[in-house]
C-alpha cells in the first residue's frame, strides 16, 4: 500500500476541492494557444517518432509509469514534473494558458475541475484521436466526468464511489449490531452512539467535497451548465432533503466539528470517538488499520432514503492532454495505452479503479482485507459504482465554490446553524461570482 503525503494530498484534494481561484475563465479562452502541433491524429505513428512529452503530476508513481511506457515505446521519453498537490497543478496550468505558453503535454485533472479547465480552454478534445472507443470500458459516472461541453477532455483514472466505513465496536457499544441501510436507521444509530458516550459521534459534520457528494447521493442536481449559461439551485429537492437531515443531526449535537484529516480527527478515530466515514472507495485501502485493531472497522453500502441502492462519486481524477501541447497525437497515444491492458495496470496500481473489467475481476472483488477481518470490501465499492446517480454536473468554477464553502455552509456546520439558510447564502455568492466571470447565472 502506498503511504505518502502525495496520496494523502490526493485524498485531501478530492475531499476539500481545489482551492485555486478561477479568474476570467471565459476571457482566458483566448490564451489557450494550441501550439505548433502537426495536426495529425495518427497516434500509432506519433508514438514511433522521437518525442519528449512533459507530464505534470502530484503523484509519486508517475515516474515509474513513464519509465514503463518508455519501455513499450522506446522513442518516447518523458519529462516528469512533480508538483505539490492538485491545487498547484490547476494554478500553474491556468497561468500557462493565460500566458499562452508553458503548459505540459499530459496533466492529471480532478473530475470536479474538468469543467473549469475545459471552459478555460486548457484541455484538448481527445475525440479525433480515437479515445471515444473506450467508453464501454469505464463506469458511466467517470466517463461522464471526462465529457464536458460535448468534448472528450480526459481519460478516467481512479474513481470514488461512496461507501460507509464504520467502527463496529463503537456501534455495538451503543447497541447497534448492523450497519444502517437507510438514513432513518442512521439517525437512530447517531442518537444511540452519542447517548452511550457523550464524547462520541457517528460522524463529523463534513466539508465542501463531502457535502456536494451527499447532495448528489440524495438525488440533488443543484448545478447545471450549458455553455456560458449556469443554473444554481441549492434548494432543489435532493439538496434540501440532505440539508434537512444533516441539520437535524447538527441541532441534536450528534455530529463532531473536527476537520477531516486533522490530527484531532485521526485521534478521535483511534480512540473510538468517531464512528463513521462516508467517503469514496479509495478509502477502503486507505490505511484503516492505522485507526484501530484489525477488524475494528468494516465497510458497508451507503445508507439510502428508501433502502434502494443510490450513491455518488467522492473524488477521483483523470489524465488530459493540454491545448498547448505540440505533441497531441503522441500524448493521446499514451492515454490510449493507459486505457487498457498492461497500461491500465499501471494506472490501477493505486487508487480505486474506474474500469469495468477491473471492477468485475473476481480476484480483485474477493480480495480479503486484513484490516476489515478479511472482508472482501472491494465488493461494496464495486456495487456502489453501479449505483451512482446519473446527471450530476459540477460548476465551471467548482474550485472557487469549494473554497468559499466555509464562509457560509461551513460556518453553519461548525455552529449548528440553519443549513438551508447557509446554502442560500452560498448560492448568492456563487451567482455573483459567476456573473462577474462572464457567465449568465440564474438569468
Amino acid at each position: 500500500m502506498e503511504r505518502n503525503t502525495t496520496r494523502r494530498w490526493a485524498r485531501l484534494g478530492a475531499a476539500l476541492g481545489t482551492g485555486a481561484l478561477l479568474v476570467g475563465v471565459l476571457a482566458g479562452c483566448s490564451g489557450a494557444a494550441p501550439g505548433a502541433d502537426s495536426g495529425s491524429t495518427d497516434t500509432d505513428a506519433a508514438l514511433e517518432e522521437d518525442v519528449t512529452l512533459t507530464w505534470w503530476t502530484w503523484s509519486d508513481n508517475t515516474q515509474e509509469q513513464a519509465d514503463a511506457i518508455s519501455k513499450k515505446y522506446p522513442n518516447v521519453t518523458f519529462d516528469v514534473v512533480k508538483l505539490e498537490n492538485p491545487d498547484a497543478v490547476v494554478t500553474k496550468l491556468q497561468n500557462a494558458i493565460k500566458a499562452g505558453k508553458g503548459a505540459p503535454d499530459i496533466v492529471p485533472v480532478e473530475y470536479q475541475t474538468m469543467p473549469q479547465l475545459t471552459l478555460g480552454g486548457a484541455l484538448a478534445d481527445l475525440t479525433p484521436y480515437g479515445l471515444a472507443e473506450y467508453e464501454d470500458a469505464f463506469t458511466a459516472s467517470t466517463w461522464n466526468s471526462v465529457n464536458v461541453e460535448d468534448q472528450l477532455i480526459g481519460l478516467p483514472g481512479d474513481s470514488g464511489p461512496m461507501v460507509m466505513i464504520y467502527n463496529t465496536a463503537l456501534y455495538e457499544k451503543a447497541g447497534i449490531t448492523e450497519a444502517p441501510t437507510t438514513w432513518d436507521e442512521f439517525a437512530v444509530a447517531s442518537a444511540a452512539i452519542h447517548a452511550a458516550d457523550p464524547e462520541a459521534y457517528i460522524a463529523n459534520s463534513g466539508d465542501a467535497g463531502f457535502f456536494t457528494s451527499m447532495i448528489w447521493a440524495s438525488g440533488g442536481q443543484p448545478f447545471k451548465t450549458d455553455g456560458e449559461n449556469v443554473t444554481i439551485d441549492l434548494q432543489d429537492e435532493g439538496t434540501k432533503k440532505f440539508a434537512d437531515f444533516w441539520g437535524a443531526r447538527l441541532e441534536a449535537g450528534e455530529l463532531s466539528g473536527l476537520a477531516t484529516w486533522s490530527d484531532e480527527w485521526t485521534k478521535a478515530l483511534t480512540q473510538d470517538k468517531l464512528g463513521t466515514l462516508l467517503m469514496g472507495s479509495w478509502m477502503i485501502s486507505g490505511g484503516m488499520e492505522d485507526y484501530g485493531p484489525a477488524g475494528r472497522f468494516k465497510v458497508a453500502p451507503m445508507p439510502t432514503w428508501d433502502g434502494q441502492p443510490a450513491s455518488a462519486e467522492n473524488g477521483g481524477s483523470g489524465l488530459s492532454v493540454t491545448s498547448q501541447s505540440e505533441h497531441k497525437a503522441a500524448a493521446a497515444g499514451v492515454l490510449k495505452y493507459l486505457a487498457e491492458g498492461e497500461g491500465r495496470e499501471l494506472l490501477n496500481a493505486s487508487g480505486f479503479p474506474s474500469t469495468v473489467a477491473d471492477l468485475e475481476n473476481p480476484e480483485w472483488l474477493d480480495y480479503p482485507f486484513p484490516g476489515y477481518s478479511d472482508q472482501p470490501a472491494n465488493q461494496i465499492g464495486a456495487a456502489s459504482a453501479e449505483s451512482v446517480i446519473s446527471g450530476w454536473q459540477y460548476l465551471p468554477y467548482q474550485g472557487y465554490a469549494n473554497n468559499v464553502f466555509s464562509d457560509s455552509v461551513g460556518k453553519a456546520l461548525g455552529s449548528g446553524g440553519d443549513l438551508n439558510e447557509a446554502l442560500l447564502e452560498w448560492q448568492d455568492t456563487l451567482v455573483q461570482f459567476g456573473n462577474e466571470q462572464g457567465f449568465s447565472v440564474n438569468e
Side-chain angles (χ1 to χ4, degrees), residues 54 56 93 96-97 101-105 122 322-325:
T54 301
W56 288 358
L93 180 57
I97 295 304
K101 61 180 180 179
D105 298 290
T322 72
S323 59
Q324 285 182 8
S325 172

Side-chain angles (χ1 to χ4, degrees), residues 27-71:
C29 293
S30 61
D37 185 68
S38 68
S40 171
T41 59
D42 189 337
T43 57
D44 291 335
L47 292 174
E48 295 300 321
E49 299 177 1
D50 290 333
V51 63
T52 297
L53 300 176
T54 301
W55 187 344
W56 288 358
T57 184
W58 60 71
S59 172
D60 289 337
N61 293 334
T62 303
Q63 186 64 61
E64 181 181 348
Q65 294 167 349
D67 292 343
I69 296 169
S70 291
K71 287 183 180 180

Side-chain angles (χ1 to χ4, degrees), residues 251-393:
E251 185 177 353
E254 296 169 4
L255 297 177
S256 166
L258 296 176
T260 308
W261 309 117
S262 67
D263 291 342
E264 293 79 11
W265 176 85
T266 299
K267 184 178 180 180
L269 285 170
T270 59
Q271 295 184 345
D272 295 337
K273 300 300 182 182
L274 197 59
T276 314
L277 302 178
L278 302 168
M279 288 185 171
S281 291
W282 36 262
M283 192 61 185
I284 290 176
S285 58
M288 290 308 297
E289 63 269 25
D290 293 344
Y291 302 122
R296 175 66 57 86
F297 291 89
K298 284 192 175 181
V299 182
M302 286 285 288
T304 62
W305 298 103
D306 58 4
Q308 298 301 308
S311 188
E313 293 279 351
N314 178 247
S317 62
L319 287 173
S320 296
V321 176
T322 72
S323 59
Q324 285 182 8
S325 172
E326 297 184 7
H327 311 289
K328 291 185 181 68
V334 169
L335 266 59
K336 290 174 75 170
Y337 174 67
L338 294 172
E340 59 183 353
E342 294 177 353
R344 195 65 205 181
E345 291 179 8
L346 292 175
L347 278 186
N348 286 343
S350 62
F352 195 83
S354 59
T355 36
V356 174
D358 292 287
L359 292 169
E360 294 178 347
N361 181 351
E363 182 178 359
W364 178 84
L365 282 169
D366 296 336
Y367 173 76
F369 282 87
Y372 304 118
S373 298
D374 293 333
Q375 180 188 12
N378 282 334
Q379 295 178 7
I380 308 297
S384 177
E386 292 183 355
S387 63
V388 172
I389 296 174
S390 62
W392 177 264
Q393 287 185 304

Side-chain angles (χ1 to χ4, degrees), residues 37-322:
D37 185 68
S38 68
S40 171
T41 59
D42 189 337
T43 57
D44 291 335
L47 292 174
E48 295 300 321
E49 299 177 1
D50 290 333
V51 63
T52 297
L53 300 176
T54 301
W55 187 344
W56 288 358
T57 184
W58 60 71
S59 172
D60 289 337
N61 293 334
T62 303
Q63 186 64 61
E64 181 181 348
Q65 294 167 349
D67 292 343
I69 296 169
S70 291
K71 287 183 180 180
K72 175 70 175 178
Y73 300 102
N75 293 329
V76 180
T77 57
F78 294 90
D79 178 15
V80 176
V81 179
K82 175 81 181 313
L83 300 178
E84 183 179 5
N85 52 56
D87 285 9
V89 170
V90 172
T91 300
K92 189 171 183 178
L93 180 57
Q94 289 186 157
N95 288 339
I97 295 304
K98 184 178 180 180
K101 61 180 180 179
D105 298 290
I106 299 173
V107 64
V109 182
E110 292 179 312
Y111 296 132
Q112 65 178 4
T113 316
M114 286 191 171
Q116 172 175 323
L117 293 178
T118 301
L119 289 171
L123 308 179
D125 185 0
L126 299 175
T127 305
Y129 303 95
L131 271 82
E133 67 185 66
Y134 297 105
E135 177 177 0
D136 292 341
F138 294 91
T139 61
S141 58
T142 56
W143 191 257
N144 178 67
S145 293
V146 298
N147 281 266
V148 181
E149 295 293 311
D150 298 321
Q151 298 180 67
L152 175 59
I153 43 78
L155 176 77
D158 61 337
S159 65
M162 294 188 78
V163 294
M164 182 174 73
I165 302 175
Y166 68 105
N167 185 321
T168 58
L170 186 55
Y171 272 68
E172 289 171 2
K173 180 180 178 181
I176 309 296
T177 58
E178 299 289 338
T181 59
T182 67
W183 290 115
D184 285 342
E185 292 176 357
F186 187 92
V188 171
S190 178
I193 286 172
H194 194 53
D197 181 355
E199 295 183 352
Y201 302 88
I202 195 168
N204 63 327
S205 56
D207 48 40
F210 165 79
F211 214 85
T212 51
S213 290
M214 293 302 298
I215 289 171
W216 182 352
S218 299
Q221 295 184 4
F223 309 132
K224 294 290 185 181
T225 301
D226 181 10
E228 297 178 14
N229 298 311
V230 178
T231 302
I232 302 175
D233 181 7
L234 283 164
Q235 285 290 279
D236 76 348
E237 182 178 356
T239 303
K240 195 172 187 309
K241 181 186 293 185
F242 175 66
D244 288 345
F245 175 81
W246 211 239
R249 310 283 76 72
L250 277 174
E251 185 177 353
E254 296 169 4
L255 297 177
S256 166
L258 296 176
T260 308
W261 309 117
S262 67
D263 291 342
E264 293 79 11
W265 176 85
T266 299
K267 184 178 180 180
L269 285 170
T270 59
Q271 295 184 345
D272 295 337
K273 300 300 182 182
L274 197 59
T276 314
L277 302 178
L278 302 168
M279 288 185 171
S281 291
W282 36 262
M283 192 61 185
I284 290 176
S285 58
M288 290 308 297
E289 63 269 25
D290 293 344
Y291 302 122
R296 175 66 57 86
F297 291 89
K298 284 192 175 181
V299 182
M302 286 285 288
T304 62
W305 298 103
D306 58 4
Q308 298 301 308
S311 188
E313 293 279 351
N314 178 247
S317 62
L319 287 173
S320 296
V321 176
T322 72

